[in-house]
Amino acid sequence: MTEDDIFRTTTQYRLWSYTQETLVALRISTNARAAVLVRDALRRIRSLENKGSTVPVSQVDCLTVEEEQKLVGFYCVKAMEFADFCEFPTNVKATAVQYLKRFYLSNSPMTYHPKQMMPSALFLSTKTENHYISLKNFVAKLPKTTAEDVVAPEFLLTQALRFTFDVRHPQRGLEGGFMELLAISTDTYHPPSCPQASLKSWHQEMLQLASSEKAKPNGKSSTDLKTRIQIAHGKAKDTLKTSALLTDAYFIYTPSQIWLSAFMKADEPLANFYLETKFSGSDGVPSRLLSTLQGCIALLAQSPSVKRGEVEIKELTRIDKKLYKCRNPEKMDLVGINKAQKRDGEAKEAAVLDENAHKKRKLGHAPQDSDDMFGPTISN
């Protein structure tokens, strides 16, 4: 069974894999539904408060899909920065970003502001990735944030995630490929069911590889090869920690395809050599696979920069001001909503218990001492 076969059994593949076309259609649908809900909520609020407005509800300027994506992307970067500040491992940071991106496939920033959801997504990822930090210590690192602010959106987040918390990352595959290439470069690679002659030829072929402008040096010794592999590995690792997280790569490609694309982006001759070792004895690397990897490389190249320029900051400020006027007023106070839901749940539970007690009394089954599981009271 290959790594891709295993991946196809996961919830990430079954529930969170899309084509570019279906992603676009889903986001358009989510945006349109949120705009309708915003206008309906504004209409209800205005009628209750008996307040008019110079702007009719039907003409409220809602966010576009592109503006929503820019805003969500900005808070994904903020989640990455905060994770680095807290010194969380890469898997916690990457999982938190994917939780945010998954949440906003079915929800709009007009309904739930990313600033409210980001801390909750990051705290949830510390739990699902088994990196313990207490809520008290987590909140202490966030300015002007209470424990309730972090916990209140958690059920909304888990609902949108469909209660599937597993995220498969490409970093593990990259580390495996890195170790294999290092072993081939030192002629110590001994995989099962591979002729010794092939291993010797791979080592010689690697020594003769063409140079790459992105990964030098191109020497003829094992030491030079090791340096080249390490440089390519470092560049690919940086790509996986930034571009892969900020684009739709996780939704469209498998983890294996993502890390191979990142490695090919760093050093194409070395990546092609690695692929050829996996398809030795066949007709070569399938053209369909190479085409897929090139598509992923093109997507990774479109990633927004982690460091925002002045123009981008101005654009994000404009979007945030626009969002202030088109947020759903009924969904702003997530802490209040969470408390109200808890009160309603407790009231319903109490009502059910009262109803059961009333039925017992009506049927003549009022509680007696003999009904106690430990028997009647012992008298002296």
Side-chain angles (χ1 to χ4, degrees):
M1 181 177 284
T2 66
E3 188 71 22
D4 278 348
D5 291 332
I6 296 172
F7 176 70
R8 289 188 181 92
T9 65
T10 65
T11 54
Q12 183 168 328
Y13 175 77
R14 291 187 287 108
L15 301 177
W16 301 105
S17 291
Y18 303 91
T19 63
Q20 289 180 330
E21 293 75 17
T22 53
L23 266 181
V24 170
L26 181 57
R27 284 170 175 151
I28 290 173
S29 173
T30 298
N31 173 266
R33 184 172 64 251
V36 170
L37 293 175
V38 164
R39 293 186 177 109
D40 288 346
L42 286 172
R43 192 176 290 110
R44 284 192 294 271
I45 294 295
R46 289 181 185 179
S47 64
L48 288 173
E49 296 178 350
N50 295 319
K51 289 183 179 179
S53 175
T54 56
V55 181
V57 170
S58 60
Q59 295 180 18
V60 171
D61 190 16
C62 293
L63 296 185
T64 65
V65 176
E66 292 74 19
E67 289 170 336
E68 287 184 335
Q69 285 301 102
K70 288 178 182 178
L71 195 63
V72 172
F74 173 75
Y75 280 97
C76 286
V77 172
K78 285 295 181 185
M80 293 163 64
E81 291 174 348
F82 182 61
D84 289 337
F85 171 75
C86 295
E87 299 182 343
F88 291 154
T90 300
N91 60 320
V92 171
K93 174 171 64 176
T95 296
V97 171
Q98 293 312 305
Y99 284 171
L100 273 176
K101 293 178 77 69
R102 289 179 181 184
F103 179 82
Y104 284 106
L105 284 182
S106 56
N107 293 279
S108 166
M110 292 184 287
T111 308
Y112 303 110
H113 200 294
K115 186 177 181 180
Q116 294 175 299
M117 302 306 302
M118 185 272 286
S120 186
L122 190 54
F123 186 62
L124 179 62
S125 71
T126 65
K127 293 186 281 187
T128 58
E129 293 292 342
N130 296 314
H131 183 79
Y132 175 76
I133 179 173
S134 68
L135 179 59
K136 180 180 178 181
N137 290 339
F138 182 82
V139 171
K141 298 176 184 293
L142 282 165
K144 299 179 182 180
T145 303
T146 66
E148 287 183 330
D149 292 331
V150 175
V151 174
E154 195 167 71
F155 185 68
L156 287 171
L157 180 62
T158 55
Q159 268 188 318
L161 296 176
R162 303 186 227 182
F163 303 99
T164 58
F165 308 119
D166 182 37
V167 180
R168 301 299 176 98
H169 299 291
Q171 282 86 352
R172 289 182 63 185
L174 174 64
E175 297 307 314
F178 171 60
M179 288 188 287
E180 284 183 295
L181 285 169
L182 283 180
I184 295 173
S185 71
T186 56
D187 201 15
T188 57
Y189 187 52
H190 302 293
S193 67
C194 184
Q196 192 67 27
S198 295
L199 298 178
K200 289 290 183 183
S201 66
W202 288 351
H203 180 66
Q204 293 302 318
E205 286 176 30
M206 183 179 267
L207 289 172
Q208 301 302 319
L209 276 180
S211 64
S212 170
E213 293 297 323
K214 298 177 182 177
K216 292 184 178 182
N218 179 44
K220 300 298 182 182
S221 69
S222 294
T223 303
D224 293 331
L225 277 177
K226 182 179 179 181
T227 302
R228 178 176 177 176
I229 294 167
Q230 288 173 333
I231 292 173
H233 168 257
K235 290 179 179 293
K237 196 172 182 179
D238 288 341
T239 299
L240 296 184
K241 289 194 294 185
T242 53
S243 301
L245 297 179
L246 298 177
T247 60
D248 289 329
Y250 275 69
F251 291 131
I252 300 172
Y253 298 99
T254 67
S256 299
Q257 292 167 347
I258 296 171
W259 85 256
L260 283 168
S261 300
F263 197 77
M264 186 173 285
K265 184 172 178 282
D267 191 333
E268 188 169 352
L270 197 56
N272 284 330
F273 166 79
Y274 178 78
L275 288 171
E276 287 168 5
T277 65
K278 297 301 176 183
F279 291 93
S280 61
S282 62
D283 296 332
V285 183
S287 58
R288 184 179 176 183
L289 173 58
L290 292 174
S291 176
T292 299
L293 295 182
Q294 289 298 330
C296 186
I297 291 172
L299 179 63
L300 295 174
Q302 297 171 10
S303 169
S305 174
V306 174
K307 295 181 180 179
R308 306 285 175 170
E310 186 178 345
V311 175
E312 292 171 307
I313 292 296
K314 286 183 178 179
E315 173 66 3
L316 287 165
T317 303
R318 181 193 66 80
I319 294 172
D320 199 50
K321 287 180 179 178
K322 182 178 178 180
L323 177 59
Y324 179 78
K325 298 178 181 179
C326 64
R327 282 188 68 186
N328 189 329
E330 296 176 345
K331 302 293 184 180
M332 288 185 182
D333 184 12
L334 294 184
V335 173
I337 293 172
N338 186 51
K339 287 181 178 178
Q341 288 174 338
K342 286 182 179 179
R343 285 196 301 270
D344 290 345
E346 290 171 357
K348 287 179 181 178
E349 185 177 354
V352 170
L353 291 175
D354 288 343
E355 184 180 355
N356 290 339
H358 176 69
K359 286 180 179 178
K360 285 184 178 181
R361 286 194 296 271
K362 189 174 181 181
L363 294 172
H365 291 174
Q368 303 291 333
D369 283 345
S370 59
D371 293 333
D372 193 320
M373 63 181 295
F374 296 109
T377 303
I378 299 175
S379 57
N380 294 328

